[in-house]
Amino acid sequence: MRIGLILGDQLTPSLASLRVLDPACDQLIMAEVVDEATYVGHHPQKIALLFSAMRHFADELRQVGWKVHYHKYDPQSEYRSLLDVVTERVRSDAPSELVLTQCGEYRLQHAMDMEWQDHLGIPVTIYGDDRFLCSTSQFAAWADGRKQLRMEYFYREMRRDTGYLMKDGEPEGGQWNFDSDNRKRWDGKTPFPEAPVFSRDDIDRDVLALVREHFSHHTGNLTHFPWATRREQAEQALSFFIENALPAFGDFQDAMVRNEKALFHSLLSPYINCGLLTPRQVCDAAEQAWREGLAPLNAVEGFIRQIIGWREYVRGIYWLHMPGYAKENTLKNSRSLPHYYWDGDTRMACMADCFRNTFDNAYAHHIQRLMVTGNFALLAGILPEEICEWYLAVYADAYEWVELPNTLGMVMHADGGYLGSKPYAASGNYIHKMSDYCKHCDYQVKTRSDSDSCPFNSLYWHFIHRHEKEFSKNPRMAMIYRSFAKMQEDERQRTLDRAEHLLIHLEEL
């Protein structure tokens, strides 16, 4: 008899290890353990989503003949880690082998590779996670010899490999990328779809009660719980997005609107990342919508690019460069994360709205993460490890393999430009252009050196000034440095002085 361990982000019937094992003679372990639930302060909704989805998946497996040993969360349990649970099962049942699928976090995978077999005294066999469309070895071969990695070129290879939106070896529509069509401010007229509401069963109710009891001290609200926890519900969410939101997703994917949770975004990433949906399933549905004339090409291409482009790309970078990647800080940032990242109490309207959405829904869309909360951390010189921990903690779709490269590389440019050719730094003007936040703010977006000027404005120029050595020779930033040089000397100094004042009083914004 062999035994397989199924992790909380591996809730997929076609998982590699499940294909190897045999329900007629092998058994499975699933476990909710203290170490994994508390190593960062995960949002209560994220914990509830995973615990409930895990319990539903265990039932799904039992219904098709598997024997599943399920360890429910108990803060008093003597079994604190996954290894503790597996050790007890090996001791009691004496299996001949432990079978696993590669996990999504270096910390845990490294322990499995280096320690588990000796500790357990039985062979530990780990299969690659082929739910991803690019294996880690494929990515390493693509990256070999390249000084810098560019997602666009990787994405084109993925289009060729998968065949998505391709015809006779060429991209549909005659171009690879329709990003220039996908940067519109919301027009104020196109209605936002109302996301589906999912029914709750006894498993959901038990998990929600457990999370309220043991995790209410974690940042984030559990006053409502909007997430699908069963495969059929996640598939319902996919169908809803394809029919109701995908047609407008392309045009408005970068837009931000105050008090709106999702606009036309899919809300599918938590389900893809935990395994209730697969990348191919989601991309197939999006491509079919275009072929049937139900969604425009710019929307479908932009959506598929996020999955087979960015998602696969950041995973490849993660496994190629861990564990050293997590320690990168090439801009030598030193400031701690301000309190409002944890309590939302700030007079900056854009930041306050993104925090509200994050705490209420365990979600914020990619522009809110990149160009508001991330941009502010970049401009203010926040320690990469602190902002990385924050993103990992507060979002329902956050796992280290996807969160770390996106935050450390894309948001914070802490890897020296390996992931992105220029920092995603922007003044308040970008936020003003893409949202309605500024008209609700105490600060003035049109000025940069006054006492009530938007903090993003002076902090942006301070960032440009203090990192001139790193970026002045970057051809994509030459125009910015020419603008800075042309600024009147007294105005430049007032702007830098305003920024210095803000950095000293960062906690008061």
Short mmCIF file of all heavy atoms in Angstrom, two decimals, residues 346-400:
data_model
loop_
_atom_site.label_atom_id
_atom_site.label_comp_id
_atom_site.label_asym_id
_atom_site.label_seq_id
_atom_site.Cartn_x
_atom_site.Cartn_y
_atom_site.Cartn_z
N THR A 346 -5.93 55.67 6.27
CA THR A 346 -5.14 56.67 5.56
C THR A 346 -6.06 57.65 4.86
O THR A 346 -7.19 57.29 4.49
CB THR A 346 -4.21 56.01 4.52
OG1 THR A 346 -3.57 57.02 3.74
CG2 THR A 346 -4.97 55.08 3.59
N ARG A 347 -5.57 58.88 4.67
CA ARG A 347 -6.36 59.90 3.97
C ARG A 347 -6.14 59.85 2.46
O ARG A 347 -6.77 60.60 1.73
CB ARG A 347 -6.00 61.29 4.51
CG ARG A 347 -6.44 61.49 5.96
CD ARG A 347 -6.17 62.90 6.46
NE ARG A 347 -4.74 63.18 6.52
CZ ARG A 347 -4.12 64.16 5.87
NH1 ARG A 347 -4.80 64.96 5.05
NH2 ARG A 347 -2.82 64.34 6.01
N MET A 348 -5.25 58.99 1.98
CA MET A 348 -5.07 58.82 0.54
C MET A 348 -6.24 57.97 0.01
O MET A 348 -6.35 56.78 0.34
CB MET A 348 -3.73 58.14 0.24
CG MET A 348 -2.53 58.99 0.61
SD MET A 348 -0.94 58.13 0.30
CE MET A 348 -0.88 57.02 1.73
N ALA A 349 -7.10 58.56 -0.78
CA ALA A 349 -8.35 57.89 -1.18
C ALA A 349 -8.10 56.62 -1.97
O ALA A 349 -8.80 55.62 -1.78
CB ALA A 349 -9.23 58.85 -1.98
N CYS A 350 -7.12 56.66 -2.87
CA CYS A 350 -6.84 55.47 -3.67
C CYS A 350 -6.38 54.32 -2.79
O CYS A 350 -6.84 53.18 -2.93
CB CYS A 350 -5.82 55.78 -4.76
SG CYS A 350 -4.23 56.43 -4.15
N MET A 351 -5.47 54.62 -1.89
CA MET A 351 -4.95 53.58 -1.00
C MET A 351 -6.06 53.05 -0.09
O MET A 351 -6.21 51.84 0.10
CB MET A 351 -3.80 54.14 -0.17
CG MET A 351 -2.57 54.50 -0.97
SD MET A 351 -1.50 53.08 -1.29
CE MET A 351 -0.63 53.00 0.30
N ALA A 352 -6.86 53.96 0.47
CA ALA A 352 -7.94 53.56 1.38
C ALA A 352 -8.92 52.63 0.69
O ALA A 352 -9.38 51.64 1.27
CB ALA A 352 -8.65 54.78 1.93
N ASP A 353 -9.26 52.92 -0.58
CA ASP A 353 -10.21 52.08 -1.30
C ASP A 353 -9.63 50.72 -1.61
O ASP A 353 -10.32 49.69 -1.49
CB ASP A 353 -10.66 52.76 -2.60
CG ASP A 353 -11.85 52.06 -3.21
OD1 ASP A 353 -12.95 52.14 -2.64
OD2 ASP A 353 -11.67 51.41 -4.27
N CYS A 354 -8.36 50.68 -1.99
CA CYS A 354 -7.71 49.38 -2.25
C CYS A 354 -7.60 48.56 -0.98
O CYS A 354 -7.80 47.33 -1.00
CB CYS A 354 -6.33 49.59 -2.87
SG CYS A 354 -6.38 50.31 -4.53
N PHE A 355 -7.31 49.20 0.14
CA PHE A 355 -7.27 48.48 1.41
C PHE A 355 -8.65 47.96 1.79
O PHE A 355 -8.80 46.81 2.24
CB PHE A 355 -6.72 49.37 2.52
CG PHE A 355 -5.27 49.72 2.39
CD1 PHE A 355 -4.81 51.00 2.67
CD2 PHE A 355 -4.34 48.77 1.98
CE1 PHE A 355 -3.48 51.34 2.55
CE2 PHE A 355 -2.99 49.10 1.85
CZ PHE A 355 -2.56 50.39 2.14
N ARG A 356 -9.68 48.80 1.62
CA ARG A 356 -11.05 48.36 1.94
C ARG A 356 -11.41 47.12 1.13
O ARG A 356 -11.93 46.14 1.67
CB ARG A 356 -12.04 49.49 1.64
CG ARG A 356 -13.50 49.12 1.88
CD ARG A 356 -14.44 50.00 1.09
NE ARG A 356 -14.13 50.02 -0.33
CZ ARG A 356 -14.43 49.04 -1.19
NH1 ARG A 356 -15.04 47.94 -0.75
NH2 ARG A 356 -14.12 49.13 -2.46
N ASN A 357 -11.14 47.16 -0.16
CA ASN A 357 -11.44 46.01 -1.01
C ASN A 357 -10.66 44.78 -0.56
O ASN A 357 -11.20 43.67 -0.47
CB ASN A 357 -11.10 46.35 -2.47
CG ASN A 357 -11.75 45.42 -3.46
OD1 ASN A 357 -12.63 44.63 -3.12
ND2 ASN A 357 -11.34 45.51 -4.71
N THR A 358 -9.39 44.98 -0.25
CA THR A 358 -8.54 43.88 0.20
C THR A 358 -9.06 43.26 1.48
O THR A 358 -9.19 42.03 1.59
CB THR A 358 -7.11 44.40 0.40
OG1 THR A 358 -6.58 44.84 -0.86
CG2 THR A 358 -6.20 43.32 0.97
N PHE A 359 -9.36 44.08 2.47
CA PHE A 359 -9.78 43.55 3.77
C PHE A 359 -11.19 42.94 3.70
O PHE A 359 -11.46 41.93 4.34
CB PHE A 359 -9.73 44.64 4.83
CG PHE A 359 -8.36 45.25 5.02
CD1 PHE A 359 -8.22 46.56 5.48
CD2 PHE A 359 -7.21 44.54 4.72
CE1 PHE A 359 -6.97 47.13 5.63
CE2 PHE A 359 -5.95 45.10 4.88
CZ PHE A 359 -5.83 46.41 5.34
N ASP A 360 -12.08 43.56 2.90
CA ASP A 360 -13.46 43.07 2.82
C ASP A 360 -13.59 41.83 1.96
O ASP A 360 -14.48 41.00 2.20
CB ASP A 360 -14.38 44.15 2.25
CG ASP A 360 -14.67 45.27 3.24
OD1 ASP A 360 -14.27 45.14 4.42
OD2 ASP A 360 -15.28 46.28 2.83
N ASN A 361 -12.73 41.70 0.95
CA ASN A 361 -12.94 40.65 -0.05
C ASN A 361 -11.75 39.73 -0.30
O ASN A 361 -11.85 38.82 -1.13
CB ASN A 361 -13.32 41.31 -1.39
CG ASN A 361 -14.58 42.15 -1.27
OD1 ASN A 361 -15.64 41.64 -0.94
ND2 ASN A 361 -14.45 43.46 -1.50
N ALA A 362 -10.63 39.94 0.40
CA ALA A 362 -9.40 39.18 0.13
C ALA A 362 -9.01 39.27 -1.33
O ALA A 362 -8.48 38.33 -1.92
CB ALA A 362 -9.55 37.72 0.56
N TYR A 363 -9.29 40.43 -1.93
CA TYR A 363 -9.10 40.60 -3.37
C TYR A 363 -8.85 42.07 -3.68
O TYR A 363 -9.39 42.97 -3.03
CB TYR A 363 -10.35 40.13 -4.14
CG TYR A 363 -10.25 40.40 -5.62
CD1 TYR A 363 -9.53 39.56 -6.45
CD2 TYR A 363 -10.85 41.52 -6.19
CE1 TYR A 363 -9.40 39.81 -7.81
CE2 TYR A 363 -10.73 41.79 -7.54
CZ TYR A 363 -10.01 40.94 -8.34
OH TYR A 363 -9.87 41.21 -9.67
N ALA A 364 -8.04 42.31 -4.69
CA ALA A 364 -7.92 43.60 -5.37
C ALA A 364 -7.37 43.25 -6.75
O ALA A 364 -6.58 42.32 -6.90
CB ALA A 364 -6.98 44.55 -4.64
N HIS A 365 -7.82 43.96 -7.77
CA HIS A 365 -7.36 43.55 -9.10
C HIS A 365 -5.94 44.03 -9.36
O HIS A 365 -5.35 44.77 -8.58
CB HIS A 365 -8.36 43.95 -10.19
CG HIS A 365 -8.44 45.40 -10.53
ND1 HIS A 365 -7.41 46.09 -11.13
CD2 HIS A 365 -9.46 46.29 -10.41
CE1 HIS A 365 -7.78 47.35 -11.36
NE2 HIS A 365 -9.00 47.49 -10.92
N HIS A 366 -5.36 43.62 -10.50
CA HIS A 366 -3.92 43.73 -10.69
C HIS A 366 -3.43 45.17 -10.72
O HIS A 366 -2.32 45.46 -10.28
CB HIS A 366 -3.48 42.99 -11.95
CG HIS A 366 -3.92 43.60 -13.24
ND1 HIS A 366 -5.20 43.45 -13.72
CD2 HIS A 366 -3.27 44.37 -14.15
CE1 HIS A 366 -5.31 44.09 -14.88
NE2 HIS A 366 -4.17 44.66 -15.16
N ILE A 367 -4.24 46.12 -11.20
CA ILE A 367 -3.79 47.51 -11.24
C ILE A 367 -3.85 48.12 -9.85
O ILE A 367 -2.98 48.93 -9.46
CB ILE A 367 -4.62 48.32 -12.24
CG1 ILE A 367 -4.36 47.81 -13.66
CG2 ILE A 367 -4.28 49.80 -12.17
CD1 ILE A 367 -2.91 47.95 -14.12
N GLN A 368 -4.83 47.75 -9.05
CA GLN A 368 -4.84 48.21 -7.66
C GLN A 368 -3.60 47.70 -6.92
O GLN A 368 -2.99 48.44 -6.13
CB GLN A 368 -6.11 47.71 -6.95
CG GLN A 368 -7.39 48.37 -7.46
CD GLN A 368 -8.62 47.79 -6.79
OE1 GLN A 368 -8.79 46.57 -6.71
NE2 GLN A 368 -9.51 48.64 -6.32
N ARG A 369 -3.21 46.47 -7.16
CA ARG A 369 -2.04 45.91 -6.49
C ARG A 369 -0.74 46.53 -7.03
O ARG A 369 0.15 46.88 -6.25
CB ARG A 369 -2.00 44.39 -6.69
CG ARG A 369 -3.20 43.66 -6.14
CD ARG A 369 -2.98 42.15 -6.15
NE ARG A 369 -4.25 41.42 -6.15
CZ ARG A 369 -4.38 40.13 -5.92
NH1 ARG A 369 -3.31 39.41 -5.64
NH2 ARG A 369 -5.56 39.55 -5.96
N LEU A 370 -0.66 46.67 -8.35
CA LEU A 370 0.60 47.13 -8.96
C LEU A 370 0.77 48.64 -8.87
O LEU A 370 1.84 49.12 -8.47
CB LEU A 370 0.63 46.69 -10.43
CG LEU A 370 1.82 47.17 -11.27
CD1 LEU A 370 3.13 46.61 -10.73
CD2 LEU A 370 1.63 46.77 -12.74
N MET A 371 -0.26 49.39 -9.23
CA MET A 371 -0.12 50.84 -9.43
C MET A 371 -0.61 51.69 -8.26
O MET A 371 -0.48 52.91 -8.30
CB MET A 371 -0.82 51.26 -10.72
CG MET A 371 -0.27 50.56 -11.97
SD MET A 371 1.52 50.67 -12.16
CE MET A 371 1.77 52.44 -12.27
N VAL A 372 -1.18 51.07 -7.24
CA VAL A 372 -1.59 51.85 -6.05
C VAL A 372 -0.79 51.35 -4.85
O VAL A 372 0.23 51.94 -4.49
CB VAL A 372 -3.11 51.78 -5.81
CG1 VAL A 372 -3.49 52.63 -4.59
CG2 VAL A 372 -3.88 52.29 -7.04
N THR A 373 -1.19 50.25 -4.24
CA THR A 373 -0.49 49.79 -3.03
C THR A 373 0.96 49.40 -3.32
O THR A 373 1.85 49.65 -2.51
CB THR A 373 -1.24 48.62 -2.38
OG1 THR A 373 -1.42 47.57 -3.35
CG2 THR A 373 -2.59 49.07 -1.87
N GLY A 374 1.19 48.79 -4.49
CA GLY A 374 2.56 48.42 -4.85
C GLY A 374 3.40 49.62 -5.23
O GLY A 374 4.55 49.76 -4.80
N ASN A 375 2.84 50.49 -6.04
CA ASN A 375 3.54 51.71 -6.46
C ASN A 375 3.94 52.56 -5.26
O ASN A 375 5.07 53.06 -5.18
CB ASN A 375 2.62 52.49 -7.40
CG ASN A 375 3.26 53.74 -7.97
OD1 ASN A 375 4.47 53.83 -8.15
ND2 ASN A 375 2.43 54.72 -8.27
N PHE A 376 3.05 52.69 -4.30
CA PHE A 376 3.37 53.47 -3.11
C PHE A 376 4.54 52.84 -2.35
O PHE A 376 5.46 53.55 -1.91
CB PHE A 376 2.15 53.59 -2.19
CG PHE A 376 2.39 54.51 -1.02
CD1 PHE A 376 2.19 55.88 -1.14
CD2 PHE A 376 2.82 54.02 0.20
CE1 PHE A 376 2.43 56.73 -0.07
CE2 PHE A 376 3.05 54.87 1.28
CZ PHE A 376 2.85 56.23 1.14
N ALA A 377 4.53 51.52 -2.20
CA ALA A 377 5.63 50.84 -1.51
C ALA A 377 6.95 51.04 -2.24
O ALA A 377 8.01 51.23 -1.62
CB ALA A 377 5.32 49.36 -1.36
N LEU A 378 6.91 51.01 -3.57
CA LEU A 378 8.11 51.25 -4.38
C LEU A 378 8.63 52.66 -4.16
O LEU A 378 9.82 52.88 -3.89
CB LEU A 378 7.78 51.02 -5.86
CG LEU A 378 8.87 51.39 -6.87
CD1 LEU A 378 10.07 50.46 -6.73
CD2 LEU A 378 8.31 51.34 -8.29
N LEU A 379 7.75 53.65 -4.29
CA LEU A 379 8.16 55.05 -4.18
C LEU A 379 8.68 55.37 -2.78
O LEU A 379 9.60 56.17 -2.61
CB LEU A 379 6.99 55.98 -4.52
CG LEU A 379 6.39 55.84 -5.93
CD1 LEU A 379 5.27 56.87 -6.12
CD2 LEU A 379 7.46 56.01 -7.00
N ALA A 380 8.07 54.75 -1.77
CA ALA A 380 8.44 55.05 -0.39
C ALA A 380 9.66 54.25 0.07
O ALA A 380 10.17 54.49 1.17
CB ALA A 380 7.26 54.76 0.54
N GLY A 381 10.15 53.32 -0.73
CA GLY A 381 11.33 52.56 -0.36
C GLY A 381 11.09 51.55 0.74
O GLY A 381 11.93 51.36 1.63
N ILE A 382 9.94 50.85 0.66
CA ILE A 382 9.60 49.86 1.68
C ILE A 382 10.46 48.60 1.51
O ILE A 382 10.76 48.18 0.39
CB ILE A 382 8.10 49.50 1.59
CG1 ILE A 382 7.23 50.76 1.77
CG2 ILE A 382 7.72 48.44 2.60
CD1 ILE A 382 7.45 51.49 3.07
N LEU A 383 10.82 47.98 2.61
CA LEU A 383 11.57 46.73 2.56
C LEU A 383 10.82 45.69 1.74
O LEU A 383 9.65 45.40 2.03
CB LEU A 383 11.79 46.20 3.98
CG LEU A 383 12.87 46.88 4.81
CD1 LEU A 383 12.68 46.57 6.29
CD2 LEU A 383 14.25 46.43 4.34
N PRO A 384 11.45 45.11 0.73
CA PRO A 384 10.75 44.12 -0.10
C PRO A 384 10.16 42.96 0.70
O PRO A 384 9.05 42.51 0.43
CB PRO A 384 11.83 43.63 -1.06
CG PRO A 384 12.78 44.77 -1.16
CD PRO A 384 12.80 45.40 0.21
N GLU A 385 10.89 42.47 1.71
CA GLU A 385 10.39 41.32 2.44
C GLU A 385 9.10 41.64 3.19
O GLU A 385 8.23 40.77 3.34
CB GLU A 385 11.44 40.81 3.43
CG GLU A 385 11.84 41.80 4.50
CD GLU A 385 13.08 41.38 5.25
OE1 GLU A 385 14.18 41.51 4.70
OE2 GLU A 385 12.93 40.92 6.40
N GLU A 386 8.92 42.91 3.62
CA GLU A 386 7.71 43.27 4.34
C GLU A 386 6.50 43.40 3.41
O GLU A 386 5.40 42.94 3.75
CB GLU A 386 7.93 44.55 5.14
CG GLU A 386 8.91 44.39 6.28
CD GLU A 386 8.86 45.53 7.29
OE1 GLU A 386 7.90 46.34 7.25
OE2 GLU A 386 9.77 45.61 8.13
N ILE A 387 6.69 44.02 2.26
CA ILE A 387 5.56 44.14 1.34
C ILE A 387 5.23 42.77 0.73
O ILE A 387 4.07 42.45 0.47
CB ILE A 387 5.82 45.21 0.26
CG1 ILE A 387 4.57 45.48 -0.58
CG2 ILE A 387 7.01 44.87 -0.61
CD1 ILE A 387 3.42 46.10 0.13
N CYS A 388 6.24 41.93 0.52
CA CYS A 388 5.98 40.57 0.02
C CYS A 388 5.15 39.77 1.02
O CYS A 388 4.21 39.06 0.63
CB CYS A 388 7.30 39.86 -0.28
SG CYS A 388 8.14 40.43 -1.78
N GLU A 389 5.49 39.89 2.28
CA GLU A 389 4.71 39.17 3.30
C GLU A 389 3.28 39.67 3.33
O GLU A 389 2.34 38.89 3.49
CB GLU A 389 5.35 39.35 4.69
CG GLU A 389 4.57 38.64 5.78
CD GLU A 389 5.16 38.80 7.16
OE1 GLU A 389 6.39 39.04 7.26
OE2 GLU A 389 4.41 38.68 8.15
N TRP A 390 3.09 40.98 3.15
CA TRP A 390 1.74 41.55 3.16
C TRP A 390 0.91 40.98 2.02
O TRP A 390 -0.22 40.52 2.24
CB TRP A 390 1.82 43.08 3.06
CG TRP A 390 0.48 43.74 3.16
CD1 TRP A 390 -0.25 43.97 4.30
CD2 TRP A 390 -0.30 44.28 2.08
NE1 TRP A 390 -1.43 44.60 3.99
CE2 TRP A 390 -1.48 44.80 2.64
CE3 TRP A 390 -0.10 44.36 0.70
CZ2 TRP A 390 -2.48 45.41 1.85
CZ3 TRP A 390 -1.09 44.96 -0.08
CH2 TRP A 390 -2.25 45.48 0.49
N TYR A 391 1.44 41.01 0.81
CA TYR A 391 0.69 40.47 -0.33
C TYR A 391 0.37 38.99 -0.14
O TYR A 391 -0.71 38.52 -0.50
CB TYR A 391 1.46 40.68 -1.63
CG TYR A 391 1.32 42.06 -2.24
CD1 TYR A 391 2.38 42.95 -2.25
CD2 TYR A 391 0.12 42.47 -2.81
CE1 TYR A 391 2.27 44.21 -2.80
CE2 TYR A 391 -0.01 43.73 -3.37
CZ TYR A 391 1.06 44.60 -3.37
OH TYR A 391 0.93 45.84 -3.92
N LEU A 392 1.31 38.23 0.41
CA LEU A 392 1.09 36.82 0.64
C LEU A 392 -0.02 36.59 1.65
O LEU A 392 -0.81 35.64 1.53
CB LEU A 392 2.38 36.16 1.12
CG LEU A 392 2.35 34.64 1.33
CD1 LEU A 392 2.02 33.91 0.03
CD2 LEU A 392 3.69 34.16 1.88
N ALA A 393 -0.13 37.49 2.62
CA ALA A 393 -1.10 37.30 3.69
C ALA A 393 -2.52 37.69 3.30
O ALA A 393 -3.47 37.00 3.69
CB ALA A 393 -0.67 38.13 4.92
N VAL A 394 -2.70 38.76 2.54
CA VAL A 394 -4.04 39.37 2.47
C VAL A 394 -4.89 38.96 1.28
O VAL A 394 -6.07 39.33 1.23
CB VAL A 394 -3.93 40.91 2.51
CG1 VAL A 394 -3.30 41.38 3.81
CG2 VAL A 394 -3.17 41.46 1.30
N TYR A 395 -4.35 38.21 0.32
CA TYR A 395 -5.13 37.89 -0.88
C TYR A 395 -5.45 36.40 -0.98
O TYR A 395 -4.61 35.54 -0.70
CB TYR A 395 -4.41 38.36 -2.14
CG TYR A 395 -4.38 39.88 -2.21
CD1 TYR A 395 -3.18 40.58 -2.18
CD2 TYR A 395 -5.57 40.60 -2.24
CE1 TYR A 395 -3.17 41.97 -2.22
CE2 TYR A 395 -5.56 41.98 -2.27
CZ TYR A 395 -4.36 42.66 -2.26
OH TYR A 395 -4.37 44.04 -2.28
N ALA A 396 -6.67 36.10 -1.40
CA ALA A 396 -7.14 34.72 -1.47
C ALA A 396 -6.39 33.92 -2.53
O ALA A 396 -6.36 32.69 -2.46
CB ALA A 396 -8.64 34.68 -1.76
N ASP A 397 -5.81 34.59 -3.52
CA ASP A 397 -5.11 33.88 -4.59
C ASP A 397 -3.60 33.84 -4.39
O ASP A 397 -2.87 33.42 -5.28
CB ASP A 397 -5.43 34.51 -5.95
CG ASP A 397 -5.07 36.00 -6.02
OD1 ASP A 397 -4.51 36.55 -5.04
OD2 ASP A 397 -5.37 36.62 -7.06
N ALA A 398 -3.11 34.28 -3.23
CA ALA A 398 -1.67 34.43 -3.02
C ALA A 398 -1.01 33.14 -2.55
O ALA A 398 -1.38 32.58 -1.51
CB ALA A 398 -1.41 35.55 -2.01
N TYR A 399 -0.06 32.67 -3.34
CA TYR A 399 0.84 31.58 -2.99
C TYR A 399 2.24 32.08 -3.33
O TYR A 399 2.41 32.86 -4.27
CB TYR A 399 0.52 30.30 -3.76
CG TYR A 399 -0.87 29.78 -3.46
CD1 TYR A 399 -1.98 30.30 -4.12
CD2 TYR A 399 -1.07 28.80 -2.50
CE1 TYR A 399 -3.26 29.86 -3.83
CE2 TYR A 399 -2.35 28.34 -2.21
CZ TYR A 399 -3.44 28.88 -2.88
OH TYR A 399 -4.71 28.44 -2.58
N GLU A 400 3.24 31.63 -2.61
CA GLU A 400 4.54 32.26 -2.75
C GLU A 400 5.08 32.21 -4.17
O GLU A 400 5.72 33.15 -4.64
CB GLU A 400 5.55 31.65 -1.78
CG GLU A 400 6.82 32.49 -1.68
CD GLU A 400 7.85 31.91 -0.73
OE1 GLU A 400 8.40 30.83 -1.03
OE2 GLU A 400 8.10 32.54 0.32
#
